[in-house]
Amino acid sequence: MLVVMQNDATDEQIRRVVDVIKEMGYEGKPMPGAQRTTVGLVGNDGRVDGSRLESLEGVAEIIHVSRPYKQVSREWRVENTLVEIAPGVVFGGTDIPIIAGPCSVESEAQIVESALAVREAGGSALRGGAFKPRSSPYSFQGLGKRGLEMLALARRESGLPIVTEALDEEGANLVARYADCIQIGARNMQNYSLLRAVGRIEKPVLLKRGMAATITDLLLSAEYILAEGNTQVILCERGIRSFDSATRNLFDLTAIPLVQKLSHLPMIADPSHGTGLRDKVIPMGRAAIAAGADGLLVEMHPHPDQAMSDGGQSLYPDQLGRLVREARAIAEAIGRSITPVPGTVAAARG
Ligand code: PEP
Ligand code: MN
């Protein structure tokens, strides 16, 4: 439930609403807006009788949130949430950041070479897994903490912020010390204790859609993170399981405008896992920008044939450059732009 205050409501009247919500056994969260403050009621499971609040001074109206998720919904917050993972790299605004890099961190030389290639191609953040959630226990599982140290080096060398995955609660705290954004992968989208853990960490989170998750499932998972206090969440479409093995997954482009209508959180797209095929990544990356994606997550490897994971879907560096150039043209056609490389003159325009 949302308690919308009148435009001229006083601080005292807002405090009174919060106190009454507390007396009712819930928590009241004041959210100042451009015109007026709204107080969100959290902690309820089901409809709450708002008659006591309706009659308080300064209250304009009571809105019952009709969706199963609350704090992530557009009803709760009308304006887009902006998620800034580093100065100038903001998701959810007009500019569209491109996160790129290898599936896994493999060595110091590999990740630094990747970071410089991402920068050269026009990307705005570096990705690379140090903890890898592999379908087989016998596949390469990542370099762990050493991988995080290599990512930190790559950030120093390139100036690019880092996005990397955490697999469990302990790992999340470790990843948070090195990364600018914590990725929660498709396989962990419904790992609720992990979601709660990253909800308590003050770091942006990139939450990927599970491979058999509905849009409602995705938004309810994001709700776990917001419910713990962390509102810095980026959602990501990465393809869902289908009956057809012609592609690795079915890249659900409709999820982009759908989620943007239902939620104020930024929604990005991963055409690499979405298709699993290198030659399909550029067309579907372009399509995601055209569909309104607030960012791209793309796998690129300086030597894909030597990659320890997902080489077959990783772009070559020059292909990433082409994708960024084409994405720029499409973004411009729809009144947006691709985020400039951090630290460049163009980035300074703010
Ligand atoms: C990844 O980004 O490398 C990854 C493992 O993705 P997903 O969780 O979407 O499979
Ligand atoms: Mn991968």
Side-chain angles (χ1 to χ4, degrees):
M1 188 167 78
L2 285 167
V3 183
V4 183
M5 303 301 295
Q6 291 164 358
N7 289 5
D8 59 353
T10 63
D11 289 351
E12 181 55 36
Q13 289 169 338
I14 296 167
R15 256 197 307 276
R16 180 75 192 126
V17 168
V18 172
D19 288 346
V20 172
I21 291 175
K22 198 165 172 202
E23 283 166 26
M24 291 163 66
Y26 307 110
E27 192 195 341
K29 286 192 170 182
M31 297 177 285
Q35 302 277 320
R36 53 195 187 174
T37 293
T38 312
V39 183
L41 182 148
V42 291
N44 61 310
D45 182 15
R47 202 177 164 95
V48 171
D49 178 10
S51 51
R52 202 175 148 197
L53 295 162
E54 216 157 18
S55 59
L56 293 177
E57 273 180 54
V59 172
E61 62 171 327
I62 302 283
I63 298 175
H64 291 279
V65 179
S66 58
R67 313 269 176 201
Y69 39 85
K70 305 198 184 316
Q71 297 186 55
V72 307
S73 73
R74 277 268 181 218
E75 289 165 305
W76 191 267
R77 188 184 150 92
V78 176
E79 308 100 55
N80 283 358
T81 285
L82 302 181
V83 181
E84 182 171 40
I85 68 166
V89 184
V90 181
F91 293 81
T94 308
D95 282 7
I96 305 169
I98 296 184
I99 309 165
C103 182
S104 303
V105 180
E106 298 163 4
S107 68
E108 233 172 66
Q110 174 253 13
I111 198 66
V112 171
E113 187 180 355
S114 299
L116 297 175
V118 169
R119 205 186 153 84
E120 173 73 26
S124 29
L126 175 70
R127 61 147 289 145
F131 297 95
K132 292 306 301 178
R134 304 307 301 280
S135 296
S136 163
Y138 308 116
S139 302
F140 175 60
Q141 304 285 311
L143 298 178
K145 186 162 184 282
R146 272 196 313 132
L148 295 178
E149 285 159 3
M150 292 173 189
L151 282 166
L153 172 71
R155 177 175 38 198
R156 284 197 300 277
E157 296 286 323
S158 67
L160 296 178
I162 303 294
V163 180
T164 192
E165 182 161 357
L167 296 183
D168 51 36
E169 193 169 339
E170 195 188 332
N173 288 305
L174 186 63
V175 163
R177 299 220 307 264
Y178 291 87
D180 300 283
C181 179
I182 308 170
Q183 178 173 320
I184 303 295
R187 291 160 189 78
N188 265 321
M189 189 205 81
Q190 285 176 312
N191 180 341
Y192 299 119
S193 55
L194 178 59
L195 297 176
R196 284 195 197 280
V198 295
R200 291 189 294 266
I201 298 175
E202 276 183 45
K203 260 292 140 111
V205 175
L206 194 168
L207 177 64
K208 299 186 84 173
R209 180 181 183 183
M211 47 189 97
T214 64
I215 299 295
T216 301
D217 292 337
L218 171 65
L219 294 172
L220 282 169
S221 287
E223 186 80 15
Y224 269 87
I225 304 173
L226 270 74
E228 292 295 324
N230 188 352
T231 57
Q232 298 289 286
V233 177
I234 303 162
L235 303 169
C236 180
E237 166 61 36
R238 49 78 72 203
I240 48 176
R241 281 268 159 93
S242 168
F243 54 84
D244 194 340
S245 57
T247 54
R248 180 175 176 179
N249 289 298
L250 185 69
F251 190 40
D252 181 8
L253 282 177
T254 316
I256 298 165
L258 208 52
V259 165
Q260 287 168 332
K261 175 103 190 272
L262 296 169
S263 176
H264 52 84
L265 297 174
M267 177 66 166
I268 72 166
D270 169 357
S272 304
H273 294 86
T275 61
L277 302 163
R278 179 182 303 126
D279 67 335
K280 304 294 178 288
V281 173
I282 293 180
M284 296 318 287
R286 289 191 307 238
I289 298 290
D294 295 306
L296 288 184
L297 180 71
V298 182
E299 286 187 340
M300 182 234 58
H301 195 292
H303 313 283
D305 51 324
Q306 293 165 24
M308 294 175 85
S309 59
D310 287 348
Q313 67 188 33
S314 297
L315 296 182
Y316 287 91
D318 64 320
Q319 290 181 305
L320 179 65
R322 192 183 129 205
L323 173 57
V324 174
R325 280 194 302 280
E326 294 177 357
R328 262 190 211 124
I330 296 166
E332 201 179 312
I334 55 172
R336 302 184 74 174
S337 34
I338 299 300
T339 302
V341 176
T344 57
V345 179
R349 73 185 157 84

